[in-house]
Structures are given as structure tokens and as C-alpha cells.
Amino acid sequence: MKKLFLLLIIVFISCNSEQPTQFSTDAYKEMLIGLDDSKITLREVLYNYKGKKIFIDVWASWCKDCIVGVPKVKELQKEFPGVVFLFLSVDRSNPSWKRAIKRYNLKGVHYNLPEGMKDGKFVDFINLNWIPRYMVIDETGEITLFKATNAADKKIKEVLKKIK
């Protein structure tokens, strides 16, 4: 009986591990705030970098693990200079978010998810329950890495090295 229960759990987990390759329509419509306080949808941001590989870093200024991962993200930026580094902050305070970008000298494209970590179509779509969260979008717009929570995860480099 225990073996059957264990088998059912394994099957259930493996069935639910399917990773999406496209954002949902609702996630694409998520409104982001730019450094200049402008508003833009996720779809528009991604469209601006069509044909390029995009590394997404979902983070917050108050997140210790996010800050610990910054040096590794900077190493990735040096190793993959052709990749767009898109930082999506879940800070609810724009001044804190902007100060952290300067403090940690984060180079890349920056937007804020104004509804924070618990609300919003994008965070719902990616089932955001931990930050940092890293994703990779390939040159064709497909999500090739849906979930990594450590900037040193070997899967990140694997998908960044792949050429479409």
C-alpha cells in the first residue's frame, strides 16, 4: 500500500511539472512601471527585444537571496553580452527599488511589478512563491527556462549557450 501511494505521488508530481513555453495572454498584459514611471505591458517589453535572448531576474531590494545572487548575475552578463538582462522588481516601494539598482550597480533593463510578489497576472502565471526567480526567453520568444531560483543553476548557462 505504501509503495502504491509513493508511486501515485511521483506520477502526480511529474504530471504537474510541465513547463509552459509561452506566457499567458493575461501575463502578457501585466502592466509594468519603468524607471521613469512610465507604464508598459510585459508584451511590449518583450517585443522590444524580439530576436534576442532575454534573461529575466525577478527580484526585490529587500530580498537577501536576490542580493546574494547579484555577483553571479553579473558574471552571466559578462559571459553572455548579447543577452538582454531584464530585471523585474516586486518591490512595493519605487524609491527602494530605484536605490537598490544604483546601490548594487545593476546594469540591464529595469521594470517594477507594482502589485508586488503576491498579486498580478504575471506572478500568478509563473506561480511566484520564492525570489529570486530566473527565467530565459529564447530568440523566438519561447520560454526555454521557466524556473530557476539560484543564479548559479547550471541550467541557466545551458539555455543561454543554445543558439536558435
Coordinates of all heavy atoms in Angstrom, one line a residue, residues 47-127:
Y47 N 8.5 42.5 -26.8 CA 8.5 42.8 -28.2 C 9.7 43.7 -28.6 O 10.3 43.5 -29.6 CB 7.2 43.4 -28.7 CG 7.2 43.7 -30.1 CD1 6.9 42.6 -31.0 CD2 7.5 44.9 -30.7 CE1 6.9 42.8 -32.4 CE2 7.4 45.2 -32.0 CZ 7.1 44.1 -32.9 OH 7.1 44.3 -34.2
N48 N 10.1 44.6 -27.7 CA 11.2 45.5 -27.9 C 12.5 44.7 -28.1 O 13.5 45.3 -28.7 CB 11.4 46.5 -26.7 CG 10.3 47.5 -26.7 OD1 9.7 47.8 -27.7 ND2 10.0 48.1 -25.6
Y49 N 12.6 43.5 -27.6 CA 13.8 42.7 -27.7 C 13.6 41.5 -28.5 O 14.3 40.5 -28.4 CB 14.3 42.4 -26.3 CG 14.6 43.7 -25.5 CD1 13.7 44.1 -24.6 CD2 15.7 44.4 -25.8 CE1 13.9 45.3 -23.9 CE2 15.9 45.6 -25.2 CZ 15.0 46.1 -24.2 OH 15.2 47.3 -23.6
K50 N 12.6 41.5 -29.4 CA 12.3 40.4 -30.3 C 13.6 40.0 -31.1 O 14.3 40.9 -31.6 CB 11.2 40.8 -31.3 CG 10.7 39.7 -32.1 CD 9.6 40.1 -33.0 CE 9.0 39.0 -33.8 NZ 7.9 39.4 -34.6
G51 N 13.9 38.7 -31.2 CA 15.0 38.2 -31.9 C 16.3 38.1 -31.0 O 17.3 37.7 -31.4
K52 N 16.1 38.5 -29.7 CA 17.3 38.4 -28.8 C 16.9 37.5 -27.6 O 15.7 37.3 -27.3 CB 17.6 39.8 -28.2 CG 18.1 40.7 -29.2 CD 18.7 41.9 -28.5 CE 19.4 42.8 -29.6 NZ 20.5 43.6 -29.0
K53 N 17.9 36.9 -27.0 CA 17.7 36.0 -25.9 C 17.5 37.0 -24.7 O 18.2 38.0 -24.6 CB 18.9 35.1 -25.7 CG 18.6 33.9 -24.8 CD 19.7 32.9 -24.9 CE 19.5 32.1 -26.2 NZ 20.3 31.0 -26.4
I54 N 16.5 36.7 -23.8 CA 16.3 37.5 -22.6 C 16.4 36.7 -21.4 O 15.7 35.6 -21.2 CB 14.8 38.1 -22.8 CG1 14.7 38.9 -24.1 CG2 14.5 39.0 -21.5 CD1 13.2 39.3 -24.4
F55 N 17.2 37.2 -20.4 CA 17.3 36.6 -19.1 C 16.4 37.5 -18.2 O 16.7 38.7 -18.1 CB 18.8 36.7 -18.7 CG 19.0 36.2 -17.3 CD1 19.3 34.9 -17.0 CD2 19.1 37.1 -16.2 CE1 19.5 34.5 -15.7 CE2 19.3 36.7 -14.9 CZ 19.5 35.4 -14.6
I56 N 15.5 36.9 -17.5 CA 14.6 37.6 -16.6 C 15.0 37.3 -15.2 O 15.1 36.1 -14.8 CB 13.1 37.2 -16.9 CG1 12.7 37.6 -18.3 CG2 12.2 37.9 -15.8 CD1 11.3 37.2 -18.6
D57 N 15.2 38.3 -14.4 CA 15.5 38.2 -13.0 C 14.4 38.9 -12.2 O 14.2 40.1 -12.2 CB 16.9 38.9 -12.7 CG 17.3 38.8 -11.3 OD1 16.5 38.5 -10.4 OD2 18.5 39.1 -11.1
V58 N 13.6 38.1 -11.5 CA 12.5 38.6 -10.7 C 13.1 38.7 -9.3 O 13.6 37.7 -8.7 CB 11.3 37.7 -10.7 CG1 10.1 38.3 -9.8 CG2 10.8 37.5 -12.1
W59 N 13.1 39.9 -8.7 CA 13.9 40.2 -7.5 C 13.2 41.3 -6.7 O 12.2 41.9 -7.1 CB 15.3 40.6 -7.9 CG 15.4 42.0 -8.5 CD1 14.9 42.4 -9.7 CD2 15.9 43.2 -7.9 NE1 15.1 43.7 -9.9 CE2 15.7 44.2 -8.8 CE3 16.5 43.4 -6.6 CZ2 16.1 45.5 -8.5 CZ3 16.9 44.7 -6.4 CH2 16.7 45.8 -7.3
A60 N 13.8 41.6 -5.6 CA 13.3 42.8 -4.7 C 14.5 43.3 -3.9 O 15.5 42.6 -3.6 CB 12.2 42.3 -3.8
S61 N 14.5 44.6 -3.6 CA 15.6 45.2 -2.9 C 15.7 44.7 -1.5 O 16.8 44.7 -0.9 CB 15.4 46.7 -2.8 OG 14.2 47.0 -2.1
W62 N 14.6 44.1 -0.9 CA 14.6 43.6 0.5 C 15.0 42.1 0.6 O 15.1 41.6 1.6 CB 13.3 43.9 1.1 CG 12.1 43.5 0.2 CD1 11.3 44.3 -0.6 CD2 11.6 42.1 0.0 NE1 10.4 43.6 -1.2 CE2 10.5 42.2 -0.9 CE3 11.9 40.9 0.5 CZ2 9.8 41.1 -1.3 CZ3 11.2 39.8 0.1 CH2 10.1 39.9 -0.8
C63 N 15.2 41.5 -0.6 CA 15.4 40.1 -0.6 C 16.9 39.7 -0.5 O 17.7 40.0 -1.5 CB 14.8 39.5 -1.9 SG 15.3 37.8 -2.3
K64 N 17.3 39.1 0.6 CA 18.7 38.8 0.8 C 19.2 37.8 -0.3 O 20.3 38.0 -0.8 CB 18.9 38.2 2.2 CG 20.3 37.8 2.5 CD 20.5 37.2 3.8 CE 22.0 36.8 4.0 NZ 22.2 35.9 5.1
D65 N 18.4 36.8 -0.6 CA 18.9 35.8 -1.6 C 19.1 36.5 -3.0 O 19.9 36.1 -3.7 CB 17.9 34.7 -1.7 CG 17.9 33.7 -0.5 OD1 19.0 33.8 0.2 OD2 17.0 33.0 -0.2
C66 N 18.2 37.5 -3.3 CA 18.3 38.2 -4.5 C 19.7 38.9 -4.6 O 20.4 38.9 -5.6 CB 17.2 39.2 -4.7 SG 15.6 38.5 -4.7
I67 N 20.0 39.6 -3.5 CA 21.2 40.4 -3.5 C 22.5 39.5 -3.5 O 23.5 39.8 -4.2 CB 21.2 41.3 -2.2 CG1 20.0 42.2 -2.2 CG2 22.5 42.1 -2.2 CD1 19.7 43.0 -3.5
V68 N 22.4 38.3 -2.8 CA 23.5 37.4 -2.8 C 23.7 36.9 -4.2 O 24.8 36.6 -4.6 CB 23.2 36.2 -1.9 CG1 24.1 35.0 -2.1 CG2 23.2 36.7 -0.4
G69 N 22.7 36.8 -5.1 CA 22.8 36.3 -6.4 C 23.3 37.3 -7.4 O 23.7 36.9 -8.5
V70 N 23.4 38.6 -7.0 CA 23.8 39.6 -8.0 C 25.2 39.4 -8.6 O 25.3 39.5 -9.8 CB 23.7 41.0 -7.3 CG1 24.4 42.1 -8.1 CG2 22.2 41.4 -7.1
P71 N 26.2 39.0 -7.8 CA 27.5 38.8 -8.4 C 27.5 37.7 -9.5 O 28.1 37.8 -10.5 CB 28.4 38.4 -7.3 CG 27.8 39.0 -6.0 CD 26.3 38.9 -6.3
K72 N 26.7 36.7 -9.3 CA 26.6 35.6 -10.3 C 25.9 36.1 -11.5 O 26.3 35.8 -12.7 CB 25.9 34.4 -9.7 CG 25.9 33.2 -10.6 CD 27.3 32.7 -10.8 CE 27.4 31.5 -11.7 NZ 28.8 31.2 -12.1
V73 N 24.8 36.9 -11.3 CA 24.1 37.5 -12.5 C 25.1 38.4 -13.3 O 25.1 38.4 -14.5 CB 22.9 38.3 -12.0 CG1 22.3 39.1 -13.2 CG2 21.8 37.3 -11.5
K74 N 25.9 39.2 -12.6 CA 26.9 40.0 -13.3 C 27.9 39.2 -14.0 O 28.4 39.5 -15.1 CB 27.6 40.9 -12.2 CG 26.7 42.0 -11.7 CD 27.5 42.9 -10.8 CE 26.5 44.1 -10.3 NZ 27.3 45.0 -9.5
E75 N 28.3 38.0 -13.5 CA 29.2 37.1 -14.2 C 28.5 36.6 -15.5 O 29.1 36.5 -16.6 CB 29.5 35.9 -13.4 CG 30.5 36.1 -12.3 CD 30.8 34.9 -11.4 OE1 30.6 33.8 -11.9 OE2 31.2 35.1 -10.3
L76 N 27.2 36.3 -15.4 CA 26.4 35.9 -16.6 C 26.4 37.0 -17.6 O 26.5 36.7 -18.8 CB 25.0 35.5 -16.2 CG 24.9 34.2 -15.4 CD1 23.4 34.0 -14.9 CD2 25.2 33.0 -16.3
Q77 N 26.3 38.2 -17.2 CA 26.3 39.4 -18.1 C 27.6 39.5 -18.9 O 27.6 39.8 -20.0 CB 26.0 40.7 -17.3 CG 24.5 40.8 -16.9 CD 24.2 42.0 -16.1 OE1 25.0 42.3 -15.1 NE2 23.2 42.7 -16.4
K78 N 28.7 39.2 -18.2 CA 30.0 39.3 -18.8 C 30.2 38.1 -19.8 O 30.7 38.3 -20.9 CB 31.1 39.2 -17.8 CG 31.3 40.5 -17.0 CD 32.4 40.4 -16.0 CE 32.5 41.7 -15.1 NZ 33.4 41.5 -14.0
E79 N 29.7 37.0 -19.4 CA 29.8 35.8 -20.3 C 28.9 35.8 -21.5 O 29.3 35.3 -22.5 CB 29.6 34.5 -19.5 CG 29.9 33.2 -20.2 CD 29.9 32.0 -19.3 OE1 29.8 32.1 -18.1 OE2 29.9 30.9 -19.9
F80 N 27.8 36.4 -21.3 CA 26.8 36.5 -22.4 C 26.4 37.9 -22.7 O 25.2 38.3 -22.4 CB 25.5 35.6 -22.0 CG 25.8 34.2 -21.7 CD1 26.0 33.8 -20.4 CD2 26.0 33.3 -22.7 CE1 26.3 32.5 -20.1 CE2 26.3 32.0 -22.5 CZ 26.4 31.5 -21.2
P81 N 27.3 38.7 -23.3 CA 27.0 40.1 -23.5 C 25.9 40.4 -24.5 O 25.3 41.5 -24.5 CB 28.3 40.7 -24.1 CG 29.0 39.5 -24.6 CD 28.6 38.3 -23.8
G82 N 25.5 39.4 -25.4 CA 24.4 39.6 -26.3 C 23.0 39.4 -25.8 O 22.0 39.6 -26.4
V83 N 23.0 38.9 -24.5 CA 21.7 38.6 -23.9 C 21.2 39.9 -23.2 O 21.9 40.7 -22.6 CB 21.9 37.5 -22.8 CG1 20.6 37.3 -22.0 CG2 22.3 36.2 -23.5
V84 N 19.8 40.1 -23.3 CA 19.2 41.2 -22.7 C 18.9 40.7 -21.2 O 18.3 39.7 -21.0 CB 17.9 41.6 -23.4 CG1 17.1 42.6 -22.6 CG2 18.1 42.0 -24.8
F85 N 19.3 41.5 -20.3 CA 19.0 41.2 -18.9 C 17.9 42.1 -18.4 O 18.1 43.3 -18.3 CB 20.3 41.4 -18.0 CG 21.3 40.2 -18.2 CD1 22.1 40.1 -19.3 CD2 21.3 39.2 -17.2 CE1 22.9 39.0 -19.5 CE2 22.2 38.1 -17.4 CZ 23.0 38.0 -18.6
L86 N 16.8 41.5 -18.2 CA 15.5 42.2 -17.8 C 15.3 41.9 -16.3 O 15.0 40.8 -15.9 CB 14.4 41.6 -18.6 CG 13.0 42.1 -18.3 CD1 12.8 43.6 -18.4 CD2 11.9 41.4 -19.2
F87 N 15.4 43.0 -15.5 CA 15.1 42.9 -14.1 C 13.7 43.3 -13.8 O 13.4 44.5 -14.1 CB 16.1 43.8 -13.3 CG 17.6 43.3 -13.4 CD1 18.4 43.7 -14.5 CD2 18.1 42.4 -12.5 CE1 19.7 43.3 -14.6 CE2 19.4 42.0 -12.6 CZ 20.2 42.4 -13.7
L88 N 12.9 42.4 -13.2 CA 11.5 42.8 -12.8 C 11.5 42.8 -11.2 O 11.6 41.7 -10.6 CB 10.6 41.7 -13.3 CG 10.5 41.6 -14.9 CD1 9.5 40.6 -15.3 CD2 10.2 43.0 -15.5
S89 N 11.3 43.9 -10.7 CA 11.3 44.1 -9.2 C 9.9 43.9 -8.7 O 8.9 44.4 -9.3 CB 11.8 45.4 -8.8 OG 11.6 45.7 -7.5
V90 N 9.7 43.2 -7.6 CA 8.4 43.1 -6.9 C 8.4 44.0 -5.7 O 7.5 43.9 -4.9 CB 8.1 41.6 -6.5 CG1 8.0 40.8 -7.7 CG2 9.2 41.1 -5.6
D91 N 9.3 45.0 -5.6 CA 9.2 46.0 -4.6 C 7.9 46.8 -4.6 O 7.5 47.2 -5.7 CB 10.4 47.0 -4.7 CG 11.7 46.5 -4.1 OD1 11.8 46.7 -2.9 OD2 12.5 46.0 -4.9
R92 N 7.3 47.0 -3.5 CA 6.1 47.9 -3.5 C 6.5 49.4 -3.4 O 5.7 50.2 -3.5 CB 5.2 47.5 -2.4 CG 4.5 46.1 -2.7 CD 3.3 46.0 -1.8 NE 2.5 44.8 -2.2 CZ 1.4 44.9 -2.9 NH1 1.0 46.0 -3.4 NH2 0.8 43.8 -3.1
S93 N 7.8 49.6 -3.0 CA 8.3 51.0 -2.9 C 9.2 51.3 -4.1 O 10.3 50.7 -4.2 CB 9.0 51.1 -1.6 OG 9.8 52.3 -1.6
N94 N 8.8 52.2 -4.9 CA 9.6 52.6 -6.1 C 10.9 53.2 -5.6 O 11.9 52.9 -6.2 CB 8.8 53.5 -7.0 CG 8.0 52.7 -8.0 OD1 7.9 51.5 -7.9 ND2 7.3 53.5 -8.9
P95 N 10.9 54.1 -4.6 CA 12.2 54.6 -4.2 C 13.2 53.6 -3.7 O 14.4 53.6 -4.1 CB 11.9 55.6 -3.0 CG 10.5 56.0 -3.3 CD 9.8 54.8 -3.9
S96 N 12.8 52.6 -3.0 CA 13.7 51.5 -2.6 C 14.2 50.7 -3.7 O 15.4 50.3 -3.8 CB 12.9 50.5 -1.6 OG 12.5 51.1 -0.4
W97 N 13.3 50.4 -4.7 CA 13.7 49.7 -5.9 C 14.8 50.5 -6.7 O 15.8 49.9 -7.0 CB 12.4 49.5 -6.8 CG 12.6 49.2 -8.2 CD1 13.4 48.2 -8.7 CD2 12.1 49.8 -9.3 NE1 13.3 48.2 -10.1 CE2 12.5 49.2 -10.5 CE3 11.2 50.9 -9.4 CZ2 12.1 49.6 -11.8 CZ3 10.8 51.3 -10.7 CH2 11.3 50.6 -11.9
K98 N 14.5 51.8 -6.9 CA 15.5 52.6 -7.6 C 16.8 52.7 -6.9 O 17.9 52.7 -7.5 CB 14.9 53.9 -8.0 CG 13.7 53.8 -8.9 CD 13.0 55.1 -9.2 CE 11.8 55.0 -10.1 NZ 11.1 56.2 -10.3
R99 N 16.8 52.9 -5.6 CA 18.0 53.0 -4.8 C 18.8 51.7 -4.9 O 20.1 51.7 -5.0 CB 17.7 53.3 -3.3 CG 17.5 54.7 -3.0 CD 17.5 55.0 -1.5 NE 16.6 54.2 -0.7 CZ 15.3 54.5 -0.5 NH1 14.8 55.6 -1.0 NH2 14.6 53.7 0.2
A100 N 18.2 50.5 -4.9 CA 18.9 49.3 -4.9 C 19.5 49.1 -6.3 O 20.6 48.5 -6.4 CB 17.9 48.1 -4.7
I101 N 18.9 49.5 -7.4 CA 19.5 49.4 -8.7 C 20.9 50.2 -8.7 O 21.9 49.7 -9.2 CB 18.6 50.0 -9.8 CG1 17.4 49.1 -9.9 CG2 19.3 50.1 -11.1 CD1 16.3 49.7 -10.8
K102 N 20.9 51.4 -8.1 CA 22.1 52.2 -8.0 C 23.1 51.5 -7.1 O 24.3 51.4 -7.4 CB 21.8 53.6 -7.6 CG 21.1 54.4 -8.7 CD 20.8 55.8 -8.3 CE 20.1 56.5 -9.4 NZ 19.7 57.9 -9.0
R103 N 22.6 51.2 -5.9 CA 23.5 50.6 -4.9 C 24.3 49.4 -5.3 O 25.4 49.2 -5.1 CB 22.7 50.3 -3.6 CG 23.5 49.7 -2.5 CD 22.7 49.5 -1.3 NE 23.5 48.9 -0.2 CZ 23.1 48.5 0.9 NH1 21.8 48.5 1.2 NH2 23.9 48.0 1.8
Y104 N 23.6 48.5 -6.0 CA 24.2 47.2 -6.5 C 24.7 47.3 -7.9 O 25.1 46.3 -8.5 CB 23.2 46.1 -6.3 CG 22.8 45.9 -4.8 CD1 21.6 46.2 -4.4 CD2 23.8 45.5 -3.9 CE1 21.2 46.1 -3.0 CE2 23.5 45.4 -2.5 CZ 22.2 45.7 -2.1 OH 21.9 45.6 -0.8
N105 N 24.6 48.5 -8.5 CA 25.0 48.8 -9.9 C 24.5 47.7 -10.8 O 25.3 47.1 -11.6 CB 26.6 48.8 -9.9 CG 27.1 49.4 -11.1 OD1 26.5 50.2 -11.8 ND2 28.3 49.0 -11.5
L106 N 23.2 47.6 -10.9 CA 22.6 46.6 -11.7 C 22.4 47.1 -13.1 O 21.6 48.1 -13.3 CB 21.2 46.2 -11.1 CG 21.2 45.5 -9.8 CD1 19.8 45.2 -9.3 CD2 22.0 44.2 -9.9
K107 N 23.1 46.6 -14.1 CA 23.0 47.0 -15.5 C 22.0 46.1 -16.2 O 22.0 44.9 -16.0 CB 24.4 46.9 -16.1 CG 25.5 47.7 -15.4 CD 25.3 49.1 -15.6 CE 26.5 49.8 -15.0 NZ 26.2 51.2 -14.6
G108 N 21.2 46.7 -16.9 CA 20.2 46.0 -17.7 C 18.9 46.8 -17.9 O 18.9 48.0 -17.7
V109 N 17.8 46.1 -18.2 CA 16.5 46.8 -18.4 C 15.7 46.6 -17.1 O 15.7 45.4 -16.6 CB 15.8 46.1 -19.6 CG1 14.5 46.7 -19.8 CG2 16.7 46.2 -20.8
H110 N 15.2 47.6 -16.6 CA 14.5 47.6 -15.3 C 13.1 48.0 -15.3 O 12.7 49.0 -15.9 CB 15.2 48.5 -14.3 CG 16.6 48.1 -14.0 ND1 16.9 47.1 -13.0 CD2 17.8 48.4 -14.5 CE1 18.2 46.9 -13.0 NE2 18.8 47.7 -13.9
Y111 N 12.2 47.1 -14.7 CA 10.8 47.5 -14.5 C 10.4 47.0 -13.2 O 11.0 46.1 -12.6 CB 10.0 46.8 -15.6 CG 10.2 47.4 -17.0 CD1 11.0 46.9 -17.9 CD2 9.5 48.6 -17.3 CE1 11.3 47.5 -19.1 CE2 9.7 49.2 -18.5 CZ 10.6 48.7 -19.4 OH 10.8 49.3 -20.7
N112 N 9.3 47.5 -12.7 CA 8.7 47.2 -11.4 C 7.3 46.5 -11.7 O 6.5 47.0 -12.5 CB 8.6 48.4 -10.6 CG 7.9 48.1 -9.2 OD1 6.8 48.3 -9.0 ND2 8.8 47.6 -8.3
L113 N 7.0 45.5 -10.9 CA 5.7 44.9 -10.9 C 5.0 45.5 -9.7 O 5.2 45.1 -8.6 CB 5.8 43.4 -10.7 CG 6.5 42.6 -11.9 CD1 7.0 41.2 -11.5 CD2 5.4 42.5 -13.0
P114 N 4.1 46.5 -10.0 CA 3.6 47.3 -8.9 C 2.7 46.6 -7.9 O 2.5 47.1 -6.8 CB 2.8 48.4 -9.7 CG 2.5 47.9 -11.0 CD 3.6 46.9 -11.3
E115 N 2.2 45.4 -8.3 CA 1.3 44.7 -7.4 C 2.1 43.8 -6.4 O 1.5 43.1 -5.6 CB 0.3 43.9 -8.2 CG -0.7 44.8 -8.9 CD -1.8 44.0 -9.6 OE1 -2.5 43.3 -8.8 OE2 -2.0 44.1 -10.8
G116 N 3.4 43.8 -6.6 CA 4.3 43.0 -5.7 C 4.4 41.6 -6.0 O 4.0 41.1 -7.1
M117 N 4.8 40.8 -5.0 CA 5.1 39.4 -5.2 C 3.8 38.5 -5.1 O 3.8 37.4 -5.6 CB 6.1 39.0 -4.2 CG 6.6 37.6 -4.3 SD 8.0 37.4 -3.1 CE 8.0 35.6 -3.0
K118 N 2.8 39.0 -4.5 CA 1.6 38.1 -4.2 C 0.5 38.3 -5.2 O -0.4 37.5 -5.3 CB 1.1 38.3 -2.8 CG 2.2 38.0 -1.7 CD 2.5 36.6 -1.7 CE 3.5 36.3 -0.6 NZ 4.1 35.0 -0.6
D119 N 0.4 39.4 -5.9 CA -0.7 39.7 -6.8 C -0.2 40.0 -8.2 O 0.9 40.5 -8.4 CB -1.5 40.9 -6.2 CG -2.1 40.6 -4.9 OD1 -2.8 39.6 -4.8 OD2 -1.9 41.4 -3.9
G120 N -1.1 39.9 -9.1 CA -0.8 40.2 -10.5 C -0.8 39.0 -11.4 O -0.6 37.9 -11.0
K121 N -1.1 39.2 -12.7 CA -1.3 38.2 -13.7 C 0.1 37.5 -14.0 O 0.1 36.3 -14.1 CB -1.8 38.7 -15.0 CG -3.1 39.5 -14.8 CD -4.3 38.6 -14.5 CE -5.6 39.3 -14.6 NZ -6.6 38.9 -13.7
F122 N 1.2 38.2 -14.0 CA 2.5 37.7 -14.3 C 2.9 36.7 -13.1 O 3.3 35.6 -13.4 CB 3.5 38.8 -14.5 CG 4.9 38.2 -14.7 CD1 5.3 37.6 -15.9 CD2 5.8 38.3 -13.6 CE1 6.6 37.1 -16.0 CE2 7.1 37.8 -13.8 CZ 7.5 37.2 -15.0
V123 N 2.8 37.2 -11.9 CA 3.3 36.4 -10.7 C 2.4 35.2 -10.6 O 2.8 34.1 -10.2 CB 3.4 37.2 -9.4 CG1 4.5 38.3 -9.6 CG2 2.1 37.8 -8.9
D124 N 1.1 35.3 -10.9 CA 0.2 34.2 -10.8 C 0.6 33.1 -11.9 O 0.6 32.0 -11.6 CB -1.3 34.6 -11.1 CG -1.9 35.3 -9.9 OD1 -1.3 35.3 -8.8 OD2 -3.0 35.9 -10.1
F125 N 0.9 33.6 -13.1 CA 1.3 32.7 -14.2 C 2.5 31.9 -13.9 O 2.6 30.7 -14.1 CB 1.5 33.5 -15.5 CG 2.0 32.6 -16.6 CD1 1.1 31.8 -17.3 CD2 3.3 32.6 -17.0 CE1 1.6 30.9 -18.3 CE2 3.8 31.8 -18.0 CZ 2.9 31.0 -18.6
I126 N 3.5 32.6 -13.3 CA 4.8 31.9 -13.0 C 4.7 31.2 -11.6 O 5.7 30.6 -11.2 CB 6.0 32.8 -13.2 CG1 6.1 33.9 -12.1 CG2 6.1 33.3 -14.6 CD1 7.4 34.6 -12.0
N127 N 3.6 31.3 -10.9 CA 3.4 30.8 -9.6 C 4.6 31.2 -8.7 O 5.3 30.4 -8.1 CB 3.3 29.2 -9.7 CG 2.9 28.6 -8.4 OD1 2.2 29.2 -7.6 ND2 3.3 27.4 -8.2

